[in-house]
Amino acid sequence: MDNDKYLKGTTTVGVVCTDGIVLASEQRATMGHFIASKTAKKVYQIDDLVGMTTAGSVGDAQQLVRLVSVESQLYKMRRNESMTIKGIATLMSNFLNANRYYPMMVQLLIGGVDKNGPAIYSLDPLGGSIEETRISATGSGSPMAYGVLEDQYKEDMAVKEGLDLAIRAIHNATKRDSASGENIDVVVITKEAFKRLDPEEVKSRRASLN
């Protein structure tokens, strides 16, 4: 039996900023009441300036990451340009909906920067896709994360502020959600680069919240 399929429980967040987006997640993977991993990867790079967070079944999520990464690279080779964030979200939405009778047990955030600017889309297991113009959170700890995000998000927020907000939201979720915990993985995407923050920087920013 593939135990990966039973590693569930997560908090991921996405923040839309004026100059880019922030994607973040804690790194605990659970199997029932057992903590199966303290370093689980839940934020993936799927194109040069596009990332995806995953919540739910690890096996299903990893399959979807491989699928969308290959499709976006093929599109780039054929068209000599990157697929838009909306295009990638639509592709993923169609795939999930086509498998609705045997659904992938995942919640996804797909975000990045393209020719239209920063964008984040949230997707459910049946392929429902919604463009998030401000904030979004998925997983078992999302109710706690939303409490922080809704209270502290500002319309003109820059990436630097969005970064601290995302870390604060995950940090608070881990205090109340038993399926969320350990370290925080943070990715910042601007028109210049896809950057994964150094764990020590994240730890320092997190410590300043206490």
Side-chain angles (χ1 to χ4, degrees), residues 143-186:
M144 284 71 77
Y146 267 123
V148 175
L149 294 169
E150 291 283 4
D151 181 60
Q152 300 189 18
Y153 181 83
K154 297 180 294 185
E155 293 295 339
D156 58 348
M157 183 170 282
V159 159
K160 183 178 180 180
E161 297 172 285
L163 174 59
D164 287 331
L165 175 59
I167 292 174
R168 184 182 294 276
I170 298 288
H171 176 76
N172 279 271
T174 62
K175 291 183 176 181
R176 291 292 179 178
D177 178 41
S178 62
S180 302
E182 319 314 332
N183 300 320
I184 300 176
D185 187 20
V186 184

Side-chain angles (χ1 to χ4, degrees), residues 11-183:
T11 306
T12 79
V13 303
V15 181
V16 181
C17 305
T18 56
D19 52 344
I21 68 157
V22 179
L23 299 174
S25 170
E26 45 68 50
Q27 293 190 285
R28 174 179 291 178
T30 59
M31 188 166 57
H33 296 291
F34 175 65
I35 299 174
S37 175
K38 297 181 179 181
T39 57
K41 184 176 181 180
K42 302 175 186 179
V43 185
Y44 296 86
Q45 182 173 10
I46 56 177
D47 205 343
D48 293 341
L49 298 177
V50 186
M52 183 167 81
T53 72
T54 61
S57 166
V58 173
D60 287 349
Q62 290 176 342
Q63 180 181 350
L64 292 172
V65 168
R66 291 191 291 268
L67 169 76
V68 73
S69 296
V70 169
E71 290 294 338
S72 63
Q73 292 302 314
L74 288 173
Y75 181 95
K76 188 183 300 182
M77 291 170 60
R78 292 166 179 162
R79 305 290 185 91
N80 201 31
E81 66 175 352
S82 295
M83 194 182 300
T84 63
I85 313 301
K86 182 178 180 180
I88 292 176
T90 300
L91 172 68
M92 184 65 77
S93 174
N94 290 341
F95 181 83
L96 290 169
N97 186 259
N99 289 274
R100 63 190 180 278
Y101 296 114
Y102 300 95
M104 302 287 218
M105 302 311 296
V106 293
Q107 285 182 289
L108 308 173
L109 293 179
I110 295 176
V113 179
D114 60 20
K115 60 186 179 182
N116 300 312
I120 292 178
Y121 288 80
S122 62
L123 289 86
D124 65 36
L126 300 184
S129 177
I130 299 174
E131 182 176 7
E132 308 288 357
T133 58
R134 302 170 68 248
I135 53 174
S136 187
T138 69
S140 54
S142 58
M144 284 71 77
Y146 267 123
V148 175
L149 294 169
E150 291 283 4
D151 181 60
Q152 300 189 18
Y153 181 83
K154 297 180 294 185
E155 293 295 339
D156 58 348
M157 183 170 282
V159 159
K160 183 178 180 180
E161 297 172 285
L163 174 59
D164 287 331
L165 175 59
I167 292 174
R168 184 182 294 276
I170 298 288
H171 176 76
N172 279 271
T174 62
K175 291 183 176 181
R176 291 292 179 178
D177 178 41
S178 62
S180 302
E182 319 314 332
N183 300 320

